[in-house]
Amino acid sequence: MPRSAVVIGASGGIGGALLAAIEDEGGFEAVHGFARSWQGDRHLDLTDEASIAAAAAHVATGPAPELVVVATGLLHEAGRGPEKALKELDAEWLARTYAVNAIGPALVAKHFLPLLPRAGTPVFAALSARVGSIADNRLGGWHGYRASKAALNMLVRNAAIEAKRANDRSIVVALHPGTVDTALSRPFQGNVAPGALFDAERAALQLLDVIEDLKPVDSGKLFAWDGTEIPF
């Protein structure tokens, strides 16, 4: 049967590399890329549910998507960045962080999960982060980013449970891409260990390898770029 794939956040470093890699590998009749900065049928703003619904409606006119990847994230913007201490917390910035890192992907799941086929093993994956793991948190800080990614992980777990009611072989996961040389990580690359900074093309291929190896039992979990499970 004809198949399609979807990449949301396709104008970003990882998202663009994922879109290119999926197109290069073939196997899909259609590959849809969406981004906030794009116009027309390819526009999708995570903070605008109407645009998410419109994108889903556009995809629904073609083959059912067997792969949906939400390749988005917000760590810093317009001079604001991750907080090092509680005294730096700001309600407006926290709300913005949650809107992009947790609420937006949840709304994507709301509109795109119903499009997944009810047979086979379709995959819905959202980029999360190791620092969003509560169990793995040893350093503290980065309050808004950590907490919003932890919220995303919970929403992924909930979505995985609900998706199985429609197709018990569906897979809904969160993925940690590692530290990737993109605009998101660039201000914070000084402490990255040698060999631990990936270019976007390598990161995309690593993530697709992880996705390819997923099984239905893996649904609702968080996996790193090397396929290891990260505890929530």
Side-chain angles (χ1 to χ4, degrees), residues 156-186:
V156 163
R157 177 70 62 87
N158 281 350
I161 293 169
E162 188 166 332
K164 285 195 175 297
R165 297 170 187 159
N167 177 357
D168 63 6
R169 292 188 57 79
S170 64
I171 301 171
V172 181
V173 294
L175 298 175
H176 166 56
T179 303
V180 184
D181 187 12
T182 65
L184 182 143
S185 71
R186 209 151 285 144

PDB file of all heavy atoms in Angstrom, residues 156-186:
ATOM      1  N   VAL A 156       3.923  11.926  25.711  1.00  0.00           N
ATOM      2  CA  VAL A 156       4.237  10.817  24.807  1.00  0.00           C
ATOM      3  C   VAL A 156       3.738   9.502  25.389  1.00  0.00           C
ATOM      4  O   VAL A 156       3.140   8.682  24.680  1.00  0.00           O
ATOM      5  CB  VAL A 156       5.754  10.765  24.522  1.00  0.00           C
ATOM      6  CG1 VAL A 156       6.161   9.413  23.947  1.00  0.00           C
ATOM      7  CG2 VAL A 156       6.155  11.883  23.569  1.00  0.00           C
ATOM      8  N   ARG A 157       3.969   9.291  26.685  1.00  0.00           N
ATOM      9  CA  ARG A 157       3.500   8.058  27.321  1.00  0.00           C
ATOM     10  C   ARG A 157       1.974   7.958  27.231  1.00  0.00           C
ATOM     11  O   ARG A 157       1.415   6.911  26.901  1.00  0.00           O
ATOM     12  CB  ARG A 157       3.955   8.021  28.783  1.00  0.00           C
ATOM     13  CG  ARG A 157       3.464   6.812  29.579  1.00  0.00           C
ATOM     14  CD  ARG A 157       4.112   5.507  29.146  1.00  0.00           C
ATOM     15  NE  ARG A 157       5.540   5.505  29.339  1.00  0.00           N
ATOM     16  CZ  ARG A 157       6.164   5.155  30.463  1.00  0.00           C
ATOM     17  NH1 ARG A 157       5.471   4.811  31.517  1.00  0.00           N
ATOM     18  NH2 ARG A 157       7.479   5.158  30.519  1.00  0.00           N
ATOM     19  N   ASN A 158       1.287   9.061  27.524  1.00  0.00           N
ATOM     20  CA  ASN A 158      -0.172   9.059  27.437  1.00  0.00           C
ATOM     21  C   ASN A 158      -0.648   8.781  26.014  1.00  0.00           C
ATOM     22  O   ASN A 158      -1.585   8.008  25.792  1.00  0.00           O
ATOM     23  CB  ASN A 158      -0.728  10.412  27.897  1.00  0.00           C
ATOM     24  CG  ASN A 158      -0.777  10.540  29.401  1.00  0.00           C
ATOM     25  OD1 ASN A 158      -0.583   9.574  30.130  1.00  0.00           O
ATOM     26  ND2 ASN A 158      -1.048  11.742  29.884  1.00  0.00           N
ATOM     27  N   ALA A 159      -0.015   9.439  25.033  1.00  0.00           N
ATOM     28  CA  ALA A 159      -0.400   9.256  23.640  1.00  0.00           C
ATOM     29  C   ALA A 159      -0.174   7.816  23.187  1.00  0.00           C
ATOM     30  O   ALA A 159      -0.970   7.265  22.407  1.00  0.00           O
ATOM     31  CB  ALA A 159       0.381  10.215  22.744  1.00  0.00           C
ATOM     32  N   ALA A 160       0.894   7.197  23.685  1.00  0.00           N
ATOM     33  CA  ALA A 160       1.188   5.811  23.320  1.00  0.00           C
ATOM     34  C   ALA A 160       0.081   4.879  23.803  1.00  0.00           C
ATOM     35  O   ALA A 160      -0.334   3.958  23.084  1.00  0.00           O
ATOM     36  CB  ALA A 160       2.531   5.390  23.916  1.00  0.00           C
ATOM     37  N   ILE A 161      -0.388   5.112  25.020  1.00  0.00           N
ATOM     38  CA  ILE A 161      -1.464   4.285  25.567  1.00  0.00           C
ATOM     39  C   ILE A 161      -2.732   4.445  24.738  1.00  0.00           C
ATOM     40  O   ILE A 161      -3.412   3.466  24.390  1.00  0.00           O
ATOM     41  CB  ILE A 161      -1.716   4.662  27.039  1.00  0.00           C
ATOM     42  CG1 ILE A 161      -0.502   4.270  27.890  1.00  0.00           C
ATOM     43  CG2 ILE A 161      -2.985   4.001  27.564  1.00  0.00           C
ATOM     44  CD1 ILE A 161      -0.534   4.827  29.301  1.00  0.00           C
ATOM     45  N   GLU A 162      -3.054   5.684  24.393  1.00  0.00           N
ATOM     46  CA  GLU A 162      -4.264   5.935  23.628  1.00  0.00           C
ATOM     47  C   GLU A 162      -4.158   5.398  22.203  1.00  0.00           C
ATOM     48  O   GLU A 162      -5.129   4.860  21.654  1.00  0.00           O
ATOM     49  CB  GLU A 162      -4.562   7.430  23.612  1.00  0.00           C
ATOM     50  CG  GLU A 162      -5.898   7.786  23.016  1.00  0.00           C
ATOM     51  CD  GLU A 162      -6.323   9.217  23.317  1.00  0.00           C
ATOM     52  OE1 GLU A 162      -5.905   9.746  24.367  1.00  0.00           O
ATOM     53  OE2 GLU A 162      -7.077   9.781  22.515  1.00  0.00           O
ATOM     54  N   ALA A 163      -2.982   5.523  21.589  1.00  0.00           N
ATOM     55  CA  ALA A 163      -2.810   5.071  20.206  1.00  0.00           C
ATOM     56  C   ALA A 163      -3.024   3.573  20.072  1.00  0.00           C
ATOM     57  O   ALA A 163      -3.502   3.088  19.040  1.00  0.00           O
ATOM     58  CB  ALA A 163      -1.425   5.456  19.702  1.00  0.00           C
ATOM     59  N   LYS A 164      -2.658   2.824  21.106  1.00  0.00           N
ATOM     60  CA  LYS A 164      -2.800   1.370  21.040  1.00  0.00           C
ATOM     61  C   LYS A 164      -4.261   0.927  21.010  1.00  0.00           C
ATOM     62  O   LYS A 164      -4.555  -0.209  20.629  1.00  0.00           O
ATOM     63  CB  LYS A 164      -2.072   0.718  22.212  1.00  0.00           C
ATOM     64  CG  LYS A 164      -0.561   0.713  22.030  1.00  0.00           C
ATOM     65  CD  LYS A 164       0.130  -0.233  22.970  1.00  0.00           C
ATOM     66  CE  LYS A 164       1.631  -0.288  22.676  1.00  0.00           C
ATOM     67  NZ  LYS A 164       1.924  -0.814  21.333  1.00  0.00           N
ATOM     68  N   ARG A 165      -5.173   1.800  21.402  1.00  0.00           N
ATOM     69  CA  ARG A 165      -6.590   1.451  21.325  1.00  0.00           C
ATOM     70  C   ARG A 165      -7.069   1.400  19.890  1.00  0.00           C
ATOM     71  O   ARG A 165      -8.042   0.706  19.576  1.00  0.00           O
ATOM     72  CB  ARG A 165      -7.409   2.454  22.138  1.00  0.00           C
ATOM     73  CG  ARG A 165      -7.070   2.438  23.623  1.00  0.00           C
ATOM     74  CD  ARG A 165      -7.718   3.589  24.364  1.00  0.00           C
ATOM     75  NE  ARG A 165      -7.237   3.646  25.754  1.00  0.00           N
ATOM     76  CZ  ARG A 165      -7.295   4.716  26.534  1.00  0.00           C
ATOM     77  NH1 ARG A 165      -7.840   5.841  26.044  1.00  0.00           N
ATOM     78  NH2 ARG A 165      -6.846   4.686  27.769  1.00  0.00           N
ATOM     79  N   ALA A 166      -6.396   2.131  19.009  1.00  0.00           N
ATOM     80  CA  ALA A 166      -6.733   2.108  17.586  1.00  0.00           C
ATOM     81  C   ALA A 166      -5.919   1.062  16.838  1.00  0.00           C
ATOM     82  O   ALA A 166      -6.408   0.434  15.901  1.00  0.00           O
ATOM     83  CB  ALA A 166      -6.515   3.487  16.962  1.00  0.00           C
ATOM     84  N   ASN A 167      -4.664   0.887  17.242  1.00  0.00           N
ATOM     85  CA  ASN A 167      -3.764  -0.089  16.603  1.00  0.00           C
ATOM     86  C   ASN A 167      -2.767  -0.544  17.647  1.00  0.00           C
ATOM     87  O   ASN A 167      -1.891   0.226  18.046  1.00  0.00           O
ATOM     88  CB  ASN A 167      -3.052   0.559  15.405  1.00  0.00           C
ATOM     89  CG  ASN A 167      -2.051  -0.383  14.739  1.00  0.00           C
ATOM     90  OD1 ASN A 167      -1.829  -1.502  15.188  1.00  0.00           O
ATOM     91  ND2 ASN A 167      -1.437   0.077  13.656  1.00  0.00           N
ATOM     92  N   ASP A 168      -2.899  -1.785  18.086  1.00  0.00           N
ATOM     93  CA  ASP A 168      -2.051  -2.247  19.193  1.00  0.00           C
ATOM     94  C   ASP A 168      -0.609  -2.460  18.797  1.00  0.00           C
ATOM     95  O   ASP A 168       0.230  -2.798  19.634  1.00  0.00           O
ATOM     96  CB  ASP A 168      -2.621  -3.514  19.838  1.00  0.00           C
ATOM     97  CG  ASP A 168      -2.685  -4.702  18.889  1.00  0.00           C
ATOM     98  OD1 ASP A 168      -2.182  -4.596  17.751  1.00  0.00           O
ATOM     99  OD2 ASP A 168      -3.244  -5.739  19.280  1.00  0.00           O
ATOM    100  N   ARG A 169      -0.266  -2.225  17.522  1.00  0.00           N
ATOM    101  CA  ARG A 169       1.125  -2.309  17.083  1.00  0.00           C
ATOM    102  C   ARG A 169       1.720  -0.936  16.782  1.00  0.00           C
ATOM    103  O   ARG A 169       2.856  -0.834  16.320  1.00  0.00           O
ATOM    104  CB  ARG A 169       1.247  -3.213  15.843  1.00  0.00           C
ATOM    105  CG  ARG A 169       0.966  -4.685  16.152  1.00  0.00           C
ATOM    106  CD  ARG A 169       1.282  -5.584  14.957  1.00  0.00           C
ATOM    107  NE  ARG A 169       2.670  -5.452  14.517  1.00  0.00           N
ATOM    108  CZ  ARG A 169       3.711  -6.036  15.115  1.00  0.00           C
ATOM    109  NH1 ARG A 169       3.519  -6.761  16.211  1.00  0.00           N
ATOM    110  NH2 ARG A 169       4.921  -5.891  14.626  1.00  0.00           N
ATOM    111  N   SER A 170       0.971   0.110  17.049  1.00  0.00           N
ATOM    112  CA  SER A 170       1.497   1.455  16.835  1.00  0.00           C
ATOM    113  C   SER A 170       2.592   1.761  17.843  1.00  0.00           C
ATOM    114  O   SER A 170       2.632   1.196  18.935  1.00  0.00           O
ATOM    115  CB  SER A 170       0.370   2.490  16.950  1.00  0.00           C
ATOM    116  OG  SER A 170      -0.153   2.504  18.264  1.00  0.00           O
ATOM    117  N   ILE A 171       3.497   2.669  17.461  1.00  0.00           N
ATOM    118  CA  ILE A 171       4.644   3.027  18.296  1.00  0.00           C
ATOM    119  C   ILE A 171       4.688   4.540  18.438  1.00  0.00           C
ATOM    120  O   ILE A 171       4.746   5.261  17.442  1.00  0.00           O
ATOM    121  CB  ILE A 171       5.956   2.513  17.675  1.00  0.00           C
ATOM    122  CG1 ILE A 171       5.926   0.991  17.517  1.00  0.00           C
ATOM    123  CG2 ILE A 171       7.156   2.940  18.533  1.00  0.00           C
ATOM    124  CD1 ILE A 171       7.092   0.428  16.719  1.00  0.00           C
ATOM    125  N   VAL A 172       4.653   5.004  19.687  1.00  0.00           N
ATOM    126  CA  VAL A 172       4.765   6.427  19.988  1.00  0.00           C
ATOM    127  C   VAL A 172       5.921   6.592  20.964  1.00  0.00           C
ATOM    128  O   VAL A 172       5.890   6.035  22.060  1.00  0.00           O
ATOM    129  CB  VAL A 172       3.467   6.992  20.601  1.00  0.00           C
ATOM    130  CG1 VAL A 172       3.604   8.488  20.882  1.00  0.00           C
ATOM    131  CG2 VAL A 172       2.282   6.739  19.669  1.00  0.00           C
ATOM    132  N   VAL A 173       6.955   7.320  20.565  1.00  0.00           N
ATOM    133  CA  VAL A 173       8.159   7.421  21.393  1.00  0.00           C
ATOM    134  C   VAL A 173       8.696   8.842  21.432  1.00  0.00           C
ATOM    135  O   VAL A 173       8.372   9.677  20.588  1.00  0.00           O
ATOM    136  CB  VAL A 173       9.290   6.492  20.879  1.00  0.00           C
ATOM    137  CG1 VAL A 173       8.924   5.032  21.023  1.00  0.00           C
ATOM    138  CG2 VAL A 173       9.645   6.830  19.432  1.00  0.00           C
ATOM    139  N   ALA A 174       9.533   9.095  22.430  1.00  0.00           N
ATOM    140  CA  ALA A 174      10.349  10.306  22.503  1.00  0.00           C
ATOM    141  C   ALA A 174      11.785   9.919  22.186  1.00  0.00           C
ATOM    142  O   ALA A 174      12.232   8.825  22.566  1.00  0.00           O
ATOM    143  CB  ALA A 174      10.252  10.933  23.891  1.00  0.00           C
ATOM    144  N   LEU A 175      12.510  10.792  21.508  1.00  0.00           N
ATOM    145  CA  LEU A 175      13.878  10.498  21.088  1.00  0.00           C
ATOM    146  C   LEU A 175      14.829  11.606  21.522  1.00  0.00           C
ATOM    147  O   LEU A 175      14.530  12.792  21.363  1.00  0.00           O
ATOM    148  CB  LEU A 175      13.954  10.343  19.562  1.00  0.00           C
ATOM    149  CG  LEU A 175      13.136   9.220  18.933  1.00  0.00           C
ATOM    150  CD1 LEU A 175      13.247   9.294  17.415  1.00  0.00           C
ATOM    151  CD2 LEU A 175      13.589   7.852  19.439  1.00  0.00           C
ATOM    152  N   HIS A 176      15.970  11.195  22.063  1.00  0.00           N
ATOM    153  CA  HIS A 176      17.045  12.135  22.419  1.00  0.00           C
ATOM    154  C   HIS A 176      18.110  12.056  21.343  1.00  0.00           C
ATOM    155  O   HIS A 176      18.766  11.012  21.189  1.00  0.00           O
ATOM    156  CB  HIS A 176      17.631  11.755  23.778  1.00  0.00           C
ATOM    157  CG  HIS A 176      18.930  12.429  24.086  1.00  0.00           C
ATOM    158  ND1 HIS A 176      19.068  13.796  24.081  1.00  0.00           N
ATOM    159  CD2 HIS A 176      20.157  11.921  24.393  1.00  0.00           C
ATOM    160  CE1 HIS A 176      20.326  14.110  24.385  1.00  0.00           C
ATOM    161  NE2 HIS A 176      21.003  12.992  24.567  1.00  0.00           N
ATOM    162  N   PRO A 177      18.317  13.129  20.559  1.00  0.00           N
ATOM    163  CA  PRO A 177      19.254  13.058  19.428  1.00  0.00           C
ATOM    164  C   PRO A 177      20.721  13.205  19.795  1.00  0.00           C
ATOM    165  O   PRO A 177      21.588  13.110  18.921  1.00  0.00           O
ATOM    166  CB  PRO A 177      18.804  14.224  18.553  1.00  0.00           C
ATOM    167  CG  PRO A 177      18.276  15.226  19.526  1.00  0.00           C
ATOM    168  CD  PRO A 177      17.625  14.420  20.626  1.00  0.00           C
ATOM    169  N   GLY A 178      21.013  13.448  21.081  1.00  0.00           N
ATOM    170  CA  GLY A 178      22.373  13.796  21.463  1.00  0.00           C
ATOM    171  C   GLY A 178      22.590  15.285  21.252  1.00  0.00           C
ATOM    172  O   GLY A 178      21.654  16.039  20.957  1.00  0.00           O
ATOM    173  N   THR A 179      23.813  15.730  21.405  1.00  0.00           N
ATOM    174  CA  THR A 179      24.131  17.140  21.169  1.00  0.00           C
ATOM    175  C   THR A 179      24.486  17.309  19.694  1.00  0.00           C
ATOM    176  O   THR A 179      25.451  16.719  19.206  1.00  0.00           O
ATOM    177  CB  THR A 179      25.309  17.600  22.041  1.00  0.00           C
ATOM    178  OG1 THR A 179      24.988  17.360  23.415  1.00  0.00           O
ATOM    179  CG2 THR A 179      25.556  19.084  21.849  1.00  0.00           C
ATOM    180  N   VAL A 180      23.672  18.081  19.004  1.00  0.00           N
ATOM    181  CA  VAL A 180      23.800  18.220  17.554  1.00  0.00           C
ATOM    182  C   VAL A 180      24.209  19.654  17.234  1.00  0.00           C
ATOM    183  O   VAL A 180      23.759  20.613  17.873  1.00  0.00           O
ATOM    184  CB  VAL A 180      22.469  17.861  16.864  1.00  0.00           C
ATOM    185  CG1 VAL A 180      22.624  17.908  15.342  1.00  0.00           C
ATOM    186  CG2 VAL A 180      21.994  16.475  17.311  1.00  0.00           C
ATOM    187  N   ASP A 181      25.065  19.799  16.251  1.00  0.00           N
ATOM    188  CA  ASP A 181      25.586  21.112  15.870  1.00  0.00           C
ATOM    189  C   ASP A 181      24.519  21.896  15.113  1.00  0.00           C
ATOM    190  O   ASP A 181      24.495  21.947  13.880  1.00  0.00           O
ATOM    191  CB  ASP A 181      26.839  20.946  15.015  1.00  0.00           C
ATOM    192  CG  ASP A 181      27.525  22.281  14.735  1.00  0.00           C
ATOM    193  OD1 ASP A 181      27.158  23.283  15.378  1.00  0.00           O
ATOM    194  OD2 ASP A 181      28.417  22.313  13.866  1.00  0.00           O
ATOM    195  N   THR A 182      23.599  22.490  15.883  1.00  0.00           N
ATOM    196  CA  THR A 182      22.529  23.297  15.321  1.00  0.00           C
ATOM    197  C   THR A 182      22.454  24.611  16.098  1.00  0.00           C
ATOM    198  O   THR A 182      23.131  24.794  17.107  1.00  0.00           O
ATOM    199  CB  THR A 182      21.174  22.579  15.426  1.00  0.00           C
ATOM    200  OG1 THR A 182      20.841  22.426  16.812  1.00  0.00           O
ATOM    201  CG2 THR A 182      21.219  21.225  14.745  1.00  0.00           C
ATOM    202  N   ALA A 183      21.576  25.490  15.650  1.00  0.00           N
ATOM    203  CA  ALA A 183      21.411  26.773  16.326  1.00  0.00           C
ATOM    204  C   ALA A 183      20.949  26.589  17.767  1.00  0.00           C
ATOM    205  O   ALA A 183      21.271  27.409  18.637  1.00  0.00           O
ATOM    206  CB  ALA A 183      20.419  27.640  15.557  1.00  0.00           C
ATOM    207  N   LEU A 184      20.195  25.521  18.045  1.00  0.00           N
ATOM    208  CA  LEU A 184      19.702  25.283  19.405  1.00  0.00           C
ATOM    209  C   LEU A 184      20.844  25.065  20.384  1.00  0.00           C
ATOM    210  O   LEU A 184      20.847  25.605  21.486  1.00  0.00           O
ATOM    211  CB  LEU A 184      18.740  24.088  19.418  1.00  0.00           C
ATOM    212  CG  LEU A 184      18.091  23.745  20.756  1.00  0.00           C
ATOM    213  CD1 LEU A 184      16.657  23.279  20.561  1.00  0.00           C
ATOM    214  CD2 LEU A 184      18.881  22.656  21.499  1.00  0.00           C
ATOM    215  N   SER A 185      21.839  24.282  20.002  1.00  0.00           N
ATOM    216  CA  SER A 185      22.910  23.917  20.937  1.00  0.00           C
ATOM    217  C   SER A 185      24.140  24.809  20.841  1.00  0.00           C
ATOM    218  O   SER A 185      24.997  24.783  21.736  1.00  0.00           O
ATOM    219  CB  SER A 185      23.349  22.464  20.690  1.00  0.00           C
ATOM    220  OG  SER A 185      24.048  22.356  19.462  1.00  0.00           O
ATOM    221  N   ARG A 186      24.246  25.611  19.785  1.00  0.00           N
ATOM    222  CA  ARG A 186      25.501  26.321  19.512  1.00  0.00           C
ATOM    223  C   ARG A 186      26.037  27.149  20.679  1.00  0.00           C
ATOM    224  O   ARG A 186      27.232  27.107  20.960  1.00  0.00           O
ATOM    225  CB  ARG A 186      25.339  27.171  18.258  1.00  0.00           C
ATOM    226  CG  ARG A 186      26.641  27.391  17.482  1.00  0.00           C
ATOM    227  CD  ARG A 186      26.371  27.571  16.010  1.00  0.00           C
ATOM    228  NE  ARG A 186      26.035  26.330  15.344  1.00  0.00           N
ATOM    229  CZ  ARG A 186      25.137  26.233  14.355  1.00  0.00           C
ATOM    230  NH1 ARG A 186      24.491  27.301  13.946  1.00  0.00           N
ATOM    231  NH2 ARG A 186      24.905  25.064  13.784  1.00  0.00           N
TER     232      ARG A 186
END
